[in-house]
Amino acid sequence: MANLIPDFVARQIIESITVKEAMLNDAELINVVESIAVLIVETYRNGGKVLLAGNGGSAADAQHIAAELVSRFTLDRPALPAMALTTDSSILTAISNDYGYDSLFSRQLEANAKPGDVFIAISTSGNSPNIVRALKTANDIGVVAVGLTGATGGEMADLCRYCVNIPSTDIPRIQEGHITVGHILCASTEQVLFGQD
């Protein structure tokens, strides 16, 4: 058993690197991430905000990215308005109880989003019913819909103006790709808005 653990650890790292290399060699993915970065910068310049949502590990990613925008990523700078729709237990339980779990994020978008804001939907499968419904609501409101998903894109692919498809069908590898993209978006936003020349 002790001899298997180093091999297992090494395999996990290699699998992660393999997905990152596939991302690096995917010109379309890089172009989409660049377009989202430009979108976020313009959204902030126009007085908008970024809202994020996901389930499970993707909920944690939504909170992580929102925290980097509101607090800081690498630069000391003014706070940027961002909100994870995954954090308020009273709201989450009230909506789930009164309207059903599928309305969890769409209801919050109705309350908090306005045209010109950005909604980043995170789903490894692209088929989470509450994410799909939220994307439809975002489009109805005039919120720009952005998706972070896996290789297939699922239902959400057709509902997003920009969709980042991590080139994997393995959930942990997709999640690692999502947080890499999230960090790129935070870093690029800070550098463009507040970076030193």
Side-chain angles (χ1 to χ4, degrees), residues 155-177:
E155 291 182 58
M156 69 189 285
D158 293 333
L159 297 170
C160 297
R161 183 180 301 178
Y162 302 108
C163 192
V164 178
N165 297 83
I166 302 301
S168 178
T169 57
D170 183 22
I171 290 171
R173 303 290 88 86
I174 296 168
Q175 290 173 329
E176 291 164 5

Side-chain angles (χ1 to χ4, degrees), residues 18-30:
T18 300
V19 172
K20 300 287 177 49
E21 287 177 339
M23 292 170 65
L24 181 61
N25 293 318
D26 186 336
E28 182 179 348
L29 182 148
I30 290 172

Side-chain angles (χ1 to χ4, degrees), residues 95-113:
I95 293 171
S96 296
N97 185 64
D98 297 342
Y99 297 98
Y101 194 72
D102 288 359
S103 298
L104 189 62
F105 303 130
S106 59
R107 188 78 177 167
Q108 291 185 75
L109 286 174
E110 289 174 19
N112 296 301

Side-chain angles (χ1 to χ4, degrees), residues 10-170:
R11 261 197 326 274
Q12 297 298 305
I13 295 170
I14 289 167
E15 288 175 11
S16 185
I17 291 169
T18 300
V19 172
K20 300 287 177 49
E21 287 177 339
M23 292 170 65
L24 181 61
N25 293 318
D26 186 336
E28 182 179 348
L29 182 148
I30 290 172
N31 287 337
V32 170
V33 173
E34 181 182 3
S35 295
I36 297 167
V38 170
L39 168 68
I40 291 172
V41 166
E42 290 306 309
T43 297
Y44 282 133
R45 284 179 170 160
N46 293 327
K49 63 183 170 296
V50 175
L51 304 103
L52 307 98
N55 296 288
S58 298
D61 288 342
Q63 292 167 215
H64 182 157
I65 296 166
E68 305 286 22
L69 293 169
V70 172
S71 181
R72 67 189 296 272
F73 188 62
T74 60
L75 300 179
D76 289 321
R77 40 76 178 173
L80 295 167
M83 176 188 303
L85 306 180
T86 55
T87 59
D88 188 316
S89 60
S90 294
I91 289 174
L92 298 176
T93 54
I95 293 171
S96 296
N97 185 64
D98 297 342
Y99 297 98
Y101 194 72
D102 288 359
S103 298
L104 189 62
F105 303 130
S106 59
R107 188 78 177 167
Q108 291 185 75
L109 286 174
E110 289 174 19
N112 296 301
K114 66 181 191 310
D117 287 344
V118 172
F119 173 53
I120 300 178
I122 310 173
S123 171
T124 57
S125 69
N127 295 316
S128 301
N130 57 10
I131 290 292
V132 170
R133 183 174 289 186
L135 286 165
K136 291 175 181 176
T137 299
N139 288 323
D140 289 344
I141 294 171
V143 171
V144 182
V146 170
L148 303 182
T149 187
T152 64
E155 291 182 58
M156 69 189 285
D158 293 333
L159 297 170
C160 297
R161 183 180 301 178
Y162 302 108
C163 192
V164 178
N165 297 83
I166 302 301
S168 178
T169 57
D170 183 22

